[in-house]
Amino acid sequence: MLTILYRDDYLVSVAKPPGLLVHRTGLDAGETRFALQLLRDQIGRPVWPVHRLDKGTSGVLLFALDAATARALGLAFERGEAMRKSYRAVVRGWPDAAGTIAHPLKRMPDDMRTEREEVQDALTHYRLLERYELPLAQGAFTSTRCALVELQPVTGRRHQLRRHMKHIAHPIIGDATHGKGPLNRALAELLGLQRLWLHAGRLELTHPVTGQPLLIEAAPGEEWARWANWTIGPAIRN
């Protein structure tokens, strides 16, 4: 059963666990469990996904309870209108204390919506929260540096956060597509858990019907505490 974070006559939000697809897709033909079907069966009525979270991403996932609301919010998500999303992620290395990534992204092969431009502007703000140093040798280095960052995407492009963090050479840990496989496997063994370390913690938006501000939050899972063993100090770059 999914944890419901918010519900009214038009919207319902759940806390998506990592490893669960939002809806059926040909890219994961072997999957049999999906957030859309689970929520539909749980509340006994149809639901429409407003946005997507990658299979490995956990956190706030929003659905509409009718098609018109879904269309209105889907456009707002894509354009970044009247809503703010905040994620936390563990990345390789120690990024600067804060920064903005303005890097256009090409439409991905599995994005079949023909009205999309081939290359789209994409903007992400980030902020360093904690630094970690783990006893894991890499090449000539005797340890591995990672960091906890807050990510705020302004636009809503496909895999934007994962692609943007790779672009600045700080890929998200556990990202099998945009990260480093050997490092991901070594860290999974050290931590005792393999997952994409990306969590959608907060969603702020204007309610599409009432016009009132709406804040939905999902706390990260207990597994995030595993990183605390290697915290080395305040989030200030030397």
Side-chain angles (χ1 to χ4, degrees):
M1 182 173 291
L2 297 170
T3 299
I4 294 179
L5 303 171
Y6 175 85
R7 183 178 178 182
D8 62 21
D9 292 337
Y10 307 96
L11 303 170
V12 58
S13 177
V14 300
K16 187 185 90 65
L20 180 68
L21 285 169
V22 174
H23 50 69
R24 191 179 303 275
T25 170
L27 297 178
D28 287 272
E31 290 290 339
T32 58
R33 298 175 69 253
F34 311 93
L36 187 151
Q37 284 87 349
L38 290 174
L39 181 59
R40 177 198 62 196
D41 295 344
Q42 185 172 330
I43 67 175
R45 60 180 296 180
V47 295
W48 285 258
V50 171
H51 64 126
R52 298 175 65 169
L53 293 179
D54 294 338
K55 179 180 179 180
T57 305
S58 56
V60 178
L61 181 60
L62 184 64
F63 292 85
L65 295 176
D66 63 82
T69 301
R71 282 193 297 270
L73 279 176
L75 288 173
F77 261 92
E78 183 180 339
R79 297 169 182 167
E81 295 175 350
M83 59 180 62
R84 296 176 60 191
K85 294 172 282 184
S86 179
Y87 293 71
R88 65 166 49 198
V90 179
V91 301
R92 186 188 70 185
W94 292 350
D96 292 333
T100 296
I101 307 167
H103 177 65
L105 296 172
K106 291 183 64 176
R107 187 171 68 176
M108 300 191 69
D110 61 338
D111 187 346
M112 302 305 293
R113 290 166 285 186
T114 56
E115 72 274 13
R116 299 297 185 87
E117 301 168 346
E118 285 302 315
V119 178
Q120 298 175 304
D121 291 338
L123 186 67
T124 301
H125 302 303
Y126 70 86
R127 182 168 64 95
L128 179 63
L129 300 177
E130 292 181 349
R131 297 179 300 170
Y132 308 122
E133 190 158 9
L134 295 86
L136 186 64
Q138 283 193 83
F141 300 97
T142 58
S143 62
T144 296
R145 289 180 171 183
C146 295
L148 178 67
V149 295
E150 178 186 43
L151 302 175
Q152 294 185 331
V154 178
T155 50
R157 310 308 181 203
R158 189 89 162 91
H159 295 178
Q160 176 174 318
L161 298 181
R162 294 163 59 186
R163 296 164 77 186
H164 267 180
M165 296 314 292
K166 177 187 178 182
H167 176 69
I168 65 169
H170 294 290
I172 297 174
I173 300 300
D175 189 340
T177 303
H178 306 288
K180 300 293 184 180
L183 175 61
N184 288 338
R185 290 189 290 272
L187 284 171
E189 183 175 355
L190 180 64
L191 292 164
L193 177 67
Q194 181 175 351
R195 66 156 292 176
L196 175 69
W197 291 94
L198 179 62
H199 176 78
R202 173 190 291 250
L203 174 63
E204 299 175 74
L205 69 152
T206 299
H207 195 288
V209 178
T210 67
Q212 296 299 309
L214 181 61
L215 169 63
I216 306 172
E217 295 181 294
E222 295 179 356
E223 71 272 18
W224 287 79
R226 302 182 189 208
W227 291 94
N229 295 327
W230 295 286
T231 302
I232 66 166
I236 299 174
R237 181 75 179 268
N238 290 330

